[in-house]
Amino acid sequence: MSTEELISIEPRELQLPFELRKQISCSLQLTNKTDKYVAFKVKTTNPKKYCVRPNTGIVLPNSRSDVIVTMQAQKESPPDMQCKDKFLIQSVVANSWATTKDITAEMFNKESGNQIEEYKLRVVYVPPQRYPSPVREGSEEGSSPRASLSDNGTMHHFENTAASKEQLDESQEHLSELKSLISKVTAEKISAIQQTRKLSLELELLRRQSNKNRSGLSILHVILIGLLGLLLGYFLKRT
């Protein structure tokens, strides 16, 4: 049986842009060009190093299923950037009512008499893709270059994503400063309003106290005049 009779697989090798301490993912497309339901299973020689989602599934007739392979972050580079890991994709005809929950290990057992197709994929490490940064016009000679020439003659530039992250950090910092300034101005405004109200109350109390004192002095003045009049009349009568 031809290895592509049930499903075709693209790409034919797993190309991973290797970078230290970084998770790397790539996708596989499993295409079913038949009128049958096809169950598949993905195996690897290094299961602790890779995460496959989904590692089993059903490809509907004349349909495609995508599989994501993720390599865990690596702390060391392999010798000569060569990888010995391999993947095995098995496929078998399934019942038309079958779902992923109906897939069992027995379905991929050759001893049970099932006709199983197998396709092997090797893992290849490729250089990570780099994006050139724009060159400013009128730059002077002798200034520090933003890119360096590698041994194979290619230029390594800063990635656009790094520049975008730097701009985002600056925007967030300006936003934080603006929020702090708004909070400070608002607090000062509230304090000024409270001080104004307090001064207004104190002025009103002073005005009332002043009016009260003036009223008290007027009554006292009348009483004193009356007493003086009585005393004067008393002395006049005695004389």
Side-chain angles (χ1 to χ4, degrees):
M1 179 178 290
S2 171
T3 56
E4 292 186 351
E5 188 172 357
L6 292 178
I7 59 174
S8 62
I9 302 173
E10 291 292 338
R12 296 182 178 273
E13 62 182 11
L14 288 171
Q15 296 186 355
L16 297 174
F18 185 88
E19 289 188 68
L20 286 176
R21 298 176 180 83
K22 183 178 180 180
Q23 282 191 347
I24 305 165
S25 300
C26 66
S27 62
L28 292 172
Q29 292 81 43
L30 312 183
T31 303
N32 179 7
K33 297 182 179 179
T34 71
D35 295 329
K36 303 175 182 178
Y37 284 69
V38 177
F40 70 88
K41 185 175 184 178
V42 183
K43 297 181 179 180
T44 178
T45 57
N46 198 342
K48 293 183 179 180
K49 184 178 178 181
Y50 299 94
C51 176
V52 181
R53 292 290 183 272
N55 59 350
T56 59
I58 299 289
V59 186
L60 302 179
N62 300 302
S63 300
R64 190 185 80 177
S65 180
D66 293 334
V67 176
I68 304 299
V69 178
T70 301
M71 183 179 71
Q72 304 300 322
Q74 301 297 301
K75 297 181 180 179
E76 297 180 356
S77 299
D80 300 326
M81 293 297 291
Q82 299 297 318
C83 183
K84 298 181 180 180
D85 302 330
K86 291 181 175 62
F87 281 80
L88 176 66
I89 301 178
Q90 297 177 309
S91 60
V92 65
V93 176
N95 295 320
S96 59
W97 44 262
T99 63
T100 303
K101 295 181 180 180
D102 299 316
I103 297 176
T104 62
E106 187 67 19
M107 295 174 63
F108 300 95
N109 186 1
K110 295 180 180 180
E111 297 179 359
S112 62
N114 296 330
Q115 293 182 331
I116 302 170
E117 290 184 0
E118 293 183 340
Y119 194 91
K120 295 181 180 180
L121 297 175
R122 68 190 187 101
V123 179
V124 178
Y125 293 150
V126 297
Q129 186 176 4
R130 300 290 183 179
Y131 300 92
S133 59
V135 179
R136 293 184 299 177
E137 296 181 359
S139 59
E140 298 180 359
E141 294 184 0
S143 60
S144 299
R146 297 181 63 87
S148 59
L149 186 62
S150 64
D151 294 338
N152 59 2
T154 59
M155 299 296 291
H156 294 281
H157 298 271
F158 292 110
E159 296 185 12
N160 290 339
T161 52
S164 299
K165 184 178 183 300
E166 184 178 355
Q167 293 176 355
L168 180 59
D169 292 340
E170 291 179 357
S171 299
Q172 291 178 345
E173 183 178 355
H174 292 325
L175 181 59
S176 178
E177 292 178 356
L178 181 59
K179 289 182 178 179
S180 177
L181 180 60
I182 292 174
S183 299
K184 183 178 179 180
V185 171
T186 302
E188 291 178 352
K189 180 180 178 181
I190 294 174
S191 177
I193 293 174
Q194 292 176 347
Q195 290 292 334
T196 302
R197 291 178 178 175
K198 183 178 179 181
L199 289 174
S200 298
L201 291 174
E202 291 178 354
L203 288 173
E204 180 65 21
L205 290 174
L206 289 173
R207 186 181 64 81
R208 292 179 180 179
Q209 186 67 30
S210 177
N211 293 337
K212 182 178 180 181
N213 291 338
R214 290 178 182 176
S215 177
L217 289 174
S218 298
I219 295 173
L220 180 59
H221 187 263
V222 172
I223 293 173
L224 289 174
I225 292 174
L227 289 175
L228 289 174
L230 290 175
L231 290 174
L232 181 59
Y234 175 77
F235 284 117
L236 291 173
K237 286 181 180 180
R238 294 194 61 177
T239 57

